[in-house]
Amino acid sequence: DAGITQSPRYKITETGRQVTLMCHQTWSHSYMFWYRQDLGHGLRLIYYSAAADITDKGEVPDGYVVSRSKTENFPLTLESATRSQTSVYFCASSDRADTQYFGPGTRLTVL
Amino acid sequence: QKEVEQNSGPLSVPEGAIASLNCTYSDRGSQSFFWYRQYSGKSPELIMFIYSNGDKEDGRFTAQLNKASQYVSLLIRDSQPSDSATYLCAVNKAGGSYIPTFGRGTSLIVHP
């Protein structure tokens, strides 16, 4: 299917566990992004990538790790999940026209 | 001060009225401006973008940009209950950056 997908859509985990959220896009967009969205904070950028093997920190990178070995995939790993990382996570991609296309989101709960 | 400011609302308008959503930004060199709509429980989707001063119309939507005053607005004419959503303003900084800064969004409620 064309577009941008995220998996899993829902995840419940425990404090201290490692969690990986997956993002896949079929457009070959150069840029990919990870955001978290929390009430009162709006969308906050965690990490972004301008191309394969190029990643950079956003506004709230602490506790997260990303990689981008292939253009189409941009996984986000929480190395040791904390309750404060309970959130809705959105992946997005864009070409050089600036417009961002968002995935459906992953709702993560850390107990 | 957040770089992109929006009134969180909710903004409540009757069906058929004009809804006016506003956004101010702090980086005077910003070049690209976007409005995204986000329904409850869904992901944001782009509805308008504007690069130049003035108005840009697309159907019932009009984006207005005033770089001198550093604000961008979105007008929704003939508002419908289906327009009820959160509207996010996003701004790309100067220098060819493709990294937008989002406002916190304004909640719009259109009541019948």
Side-chain angles (χ1 to χ4, degrees):
Chain A
D1 290 337
I4 182 166
T5 57
Q6 293 183 236
S7 62
R9 295 292 313 279
Y10 302 90
K11 177 73 176 178
I12 299 175
T13 191
E14 295 178 337
T15 302
R17 297 215 178 215
Q18 183 179 85
V19 177
T20 296
L21 309 183
M22 304 300 294
C23 180
H24 176 79
Q25 53 106 354
T26 62
W27 295 302
S28 298
H29 285 168
S30 300
Y31 282 80
M32 295 188 75
F33 307 81
W34 275 107
Y35 295 92
R36 59 178 291 173
Q37 189 173 41
D38 307 284
L39 279 174
H41 290 281
L43 279 169
R44 291 184 291 176
L45 182 64
I46 303 171
Y47 270 96
Y48 67 96
S49 169
D53 296 323
I54 301 174
T55 62
D56 208 346
K57 297 178 181 179
E59 181 185 357
V60 288
D62 293 344
Y64 303 95
V65 174
V66 294
S67 62
R68 194 166 175 208
S69 57
K70 293 183 177 181
T71 299
E72 61 267 30
N73 296 324
F74 192 37
L76 175 74
T77 298
L78 287 66
E79 294 185 298
S80 178
T82 65
R83 289 196 181 92
S84 65
Q85 293 177 309
T86 293
S87 186
V88 179
Y89 290 85
F90 288 104
C91 177
S93 71
S94 73
D95 57 16
R96 295 190 179 275
D98 298 347
T99 302
Q100 296 212 335
Y101 299 88
F102 285 82
T106 294
R107 186 174 295 274
L108 176 68
T109 301
V110 183
L111 301 177
Chain B
Q1 179 189 7
K2 195 164 170 60
E3 295 178 33
V4 179
E5 296 271 5
Q6 295 181 256
N7 188 320
S8 62
L11 173 66
S12 181
V13 301
E15 184 174 357
I18 296 175
S20 178
L21 303 160
N22 299 311
C23 172
T24 59
Y25 59 93
S26 60
D27 186 343
R28 186 169 288 278
S30 297
Q31 295 183 342
S32 309
F33 307 86
F34 305 84
W35 284 100
Y36 289 81
R37 177 178 61 200
Q38 186 176 22
Y39 292 115
S40 181
K42 301 295 185 182
S43 56
E45 57 178 341
L46 181 76
I47 52 173
M48 291 284 292
F49 63 87
I50 187 166
Y51 299 145
S52 304
N53 273 332
D55 295 359
K56 180 181 180 182
E57 187 174 318
D58 184 1
R60 296 186 295 112
F61 298 94
T62 299
Q64 299 176 318
L65 175 61
N66 184 324
K67 289 187 177 180
S69 300
Q70 295 175 242
Y71 83 78
V72 56
S73 61
L74 179 70
L75 302 179
I76 306 175
R77 291 183 300 280
D78 188 23
S79 295
Q80 301 297 310
S82 59
D83 294 325
S84 298
T86 296
Y87 290 80
L88 303 170
C89 173
V91 176
N92 277 19
K93 293 182 180 181
S97 166
Y98 300 102
I99 315 303
T101 299
F102 282 84
R104 295 179 182 175
T106 298
S107 174
L108 173 66
I109 299 172
V110 181
H111 53 86

